Amino acid sequence: MGLTDTASYVLDGLRESYDDPFWWRERVFEFLVGPFHTNVYPTRHGSVRVMDEDWDTLVVLDACRADLFAERAPLTDYDDYRTVTSRGSTTREWVRQNFAGGDFGDTVYVTSNPYVSREAGDAFHELIECWLEDFDEERKTVPPEAVVDAAKRAHEEYPEKRVIVHFMQPHHPFIGEHELSFAGWQIEGETHGGTGERIEPDHTTERQRPYTPWDALWMGRVSKDDVWQAYGDNLTLALDAVEDLLDDIEGRVAVTSDHGNMLGERTFPIPLRVYGHPKGIRSKELVEVPWAVKDVGERRTISTGETQSTTDSDADDLEDRLADLGYV
């Protein structure tokens, strides 16, 4: 974004949202905290490049904090467990840093997150877009069982490829045992599932806005314990799906995440409390992610091939579906 575009973006935002404290907080993270973290300290030094690691199947649990994984996952079932530093604090940033512009003809990517298609749709031998076919309109997300089914088919169809399996969970909406319902599916500020509902917290203006768990937590409309419980239940759904997948595939499997979430921890150099996962922020809660490895049967013999030049859908189909999801 050039200087002129940035100025226009800020001025347009000021006209529309000058009285919205959420907007002001997001701009502080976008223009002050994020650039400081990525360019000054702590930067991306030492962060893992997932394609350089040794695995046959890479399972990505979207928005999974390392401490949440350690609390909910059966760590003793894995042959090795450690934490690593992610290259992004949002899916878009993580995809750009790991895959965009790459040539991974030895890899098939099964994704429930549209940002993989948008940012790196031409980087893989095959891209299987569960978000196109398996989006659950009632639950406003891609259920983990649909991703497992697609992943099993991918392993059968491409026995000589590495496979990345990207679950939407534990990213909200929280659809586990302790469900927290909100207006829709919001990823990086873009929302699916309605225009939001009218809310009147004590410390913000009355306005129509998406009602996410992170908004609600900042506003005091839900407790941190309740959000943590629902967040964990969403992870349990995904972990159950991973167990189902491991029963049906062979090879070295690594389980990780693209980023975490913050639940009110303070960041620096401006000590604001942070909720969710703003881009560019390099706080531990956002970029420390699990890396759990399990060897299941024989290793897969991997061979490279050509990458596809487009996603499964053409450009118009992709934009239409992103619009349906509230991304455009």
Side-chain angles (χ1 to χ4, degrees), residues 139-215:
R139 291 189 283 180
K140 306 303 180 187
T141 191
V142 180
E145 56 270 20
V147 180
V148 169
D149 291 343
K152 289 180 179 180
R153 292 194 298 270
H155 280 84
E156 293 176 0
E157 187 173 349
Y158 303 98
E160 296 183 354
K161 301 298 180 187
R162 302 170 99 188
V163 181
I164 302 176
V165 184
H166 192 144
F167 290 93
M168 201 64 239
Q169 292 71 32
H171 195 288
H172 77 87
F174 299 143
I175 59 174
E177 180 180 356
H178 294 82
E179 182 176 322
L180 290 179
S181 298
F182 298 95
W185 188 21
Q186 185 184 72
I187 300 179
E188 300 173 37
E190 301 175 347
T191 302
H192 169 65
T195 58
E197 59 187 78
R198 195 172 189 82
I199 49 179
E200 302 179 25
D202 294 337
H203 54 288
T204 189
T205 57
E206 294 182 14
R207 54 192 311 113
Q208 291 287 107
R209 61 169 299 105
Y211 195 21
T212 73
W214 317 118
D215 290 346

Side-chain angles (χ1 to χ4, degrees), residues 276-298:
H277 49 278
K279 67 180 180 180
I281 307 300
R282 304 296 299 167
S283 296
K284 176 181 178 181
E285 296 84 2
L286 285 182
V287 298
E288 183 178 284
V289 295
W291 192 272
V293 178
K294 186 171 184 177
D295 287 312
V296 186
E298 298 294 325

Side-chain angles (χ1 to χ4, degrees), residues 8 20 29 43 48 59 66-67 72 78 91 105 125 140 172-173 180 186 196 206 247 263 278 319:
S8 177
D20 182 358
F29 295 137
T43 72
V48 67
V59 174
D67 54 354
R72 290 283 183 141
Y78 293 95
T91 302
H125 179 70
K140 306 303 180 187
H172 77 87
L180 290 179
Q186 185 184 72
E206 294 182 14
D247 288 339
L263 284 79
E319 293 304 313

Side-chain angles (χ1 to χ4, degrees), residues 35 48 56 64 69 178 193 211 230 273 293 328:
V48 67
D56 301 324
C64 182
F69 185 87
H178 294 82
Y211 195 21
R273 294 190 182 277
V293 178
V328 179

Side-chain angles (χ1 to χ4, degrees), residues 15-324:
R15 282 192 291 267
E16 296 177 3
S17 307
Y18 69 92
D19 60 343
D20 182 358
F22 286 86
W23 185 87
W24 284 104
R25 288 172 60 87
E26 289 167 358
R27 299 295 76 74
V28 169
F29 295 137
E30 182 176 3
F31 291 111
L32 296 176
V33 182
F36 181 87
H37 279 207
T38 55
N39 298 309
V40 181
Y41 181 80
T43 72
R44 295 190 181 94
H45 178 72
S47 55
V48 67
R49 294 183 182 275
V50 297
M51 297 305 288
D52 293 341
E53 297 297 309
D54 182 21
W55 49 266
D56 301 324
T57 299
L58 180 69
V59 174
V60 181
L61 305 173
D62 203 294
C64 182
R65 283 174 57 138
D67 54 354
L68 185 70
F69 185 87
E71 179 180 301
R72 290 283 183 141
L75 297 185
T76 57
D77 288 353
Y78 293 95
D79 299 314
D80 181 61
Y81 176 72
R82 59 190 169 105
T83 61
V84 297
T85 302
S86 173
R87 296 192 63 79
S89 61
T90 69
T91 302
R92 179 185 293 182
E93 186 181 12
W94 181 79
V95 171
R96 286 177 174 175
Q97 288 291 317
N98 281 291
F99 310 115
D103 184 3
F104 306 113
D106 64 346
T107 303
V108 172
Y109 202 124
V110 180
T111 183
S112 59
N113 193 309
Y115 279 110
V116 180
S117 304
R118 175 184 278 184
E119 303 296 337
D122 59 354
F124 309 102
H125 179 70
E126 187 71 28
L127 182 64
I128 299 172
E129 297 165 299
C130 297
W131 60 269
L132 273 173
E133 302 295 335
D134 298 308
F135 188 82
D136 187 320
E137 292 289 351
E138 183 176 350
R139 291 189 283 180
K140 306 303 180 187
T141 191
V142 180
E145 56 270 20
V147 180
V148 169
D149 291 343
K152 289 180 179 180
R153 292 194 298 270
H155 280 84
E156 293 176 0
E157 187 173 349
Y158 303 98
E160 296 183 354
K161 301 298 180 187
R162 302 170 99 188
V163 181
I164 302 176
V165 184
H166 192 144
F167 290 93
M168 201 64 239
Q169 292 71 32
H171 195 288
H172 77 87
F174 299 143
I175 59 174
E177 180 180 356
H178 294 82
E179 182 176 322
L180 290 179
S181 298
F182 298 95
W185 188 21
Q186 185 184 72
I187 300 179
E188 300 173 37
E190 301 175 347
T191 302
H192 169 65
T195 58
E197 59 187 78
R198 195 172 189 82
I199 49 179
E200 302 179 25
D202 294 337
H203 54 288
T204 189
T205 57
E206 294 182 14
R207 54 192 311 113
Q208 291 287 107
R209 61 169 299 105
Y211 195 21
T212 73
W214 317 118
D215 290 346
L217 185 57
W218 180 67
M219 293 158 54
R221 297 291 294 271
V222 65
S223 74
K224 183 176 179 179
D225 287 345
D226 285 345
V227 171
W228 185 258
Q229 182 69 42
Y231 187 20
D233 289 346
N234 232 31
L235 174 57
T236 296
L237 286 180
L239 291 172
D240 290 344
V242 172
E243 184 177 349
D244 182 14
L245 178 62
L246 293 181
D247 288 339
D248 206 60
I249 65 173
E250 290 191 336
R252 175 163 294 174
V253 180
V255 181
T256 190
S257 181
D258 47 357
H259 59 82
N261 276 303
M262 296 183 74
L263 284 79
E265 298 89 351
R266 295 188 186 275
T267 190
F268 67 95
I270 303 173
L272 291 174
R273 294 190 182 277
V274 183
Y275 300 86
H277 49 278
K279 67 180 180 180
I281 307 300
R282 304 296 299 167
S283 296
K284 176 181 178 181
E285 296 84 2
L286 285 182
V287 298
E288 183 178 284
V289 295
W291 192 272
V293 178
K294 186 171 184 177
D295 287 312
V296 186
E298 298 294 325
R299 293 294 302 267
R300 293 164 69 88
T301 300
I302 305 301
S303 64
T304 192
E306 295 183 354
T307 56
Q308 61 177 16
S309 59
T310 61
T311 64
D312 283 346
S313 57
D314 61 30
D316 289 339
D317 288 340
L318 177 59
E319 293 304 313
D320 287 345
R321 187 52 172 157
L322 287 171
D324 289 340

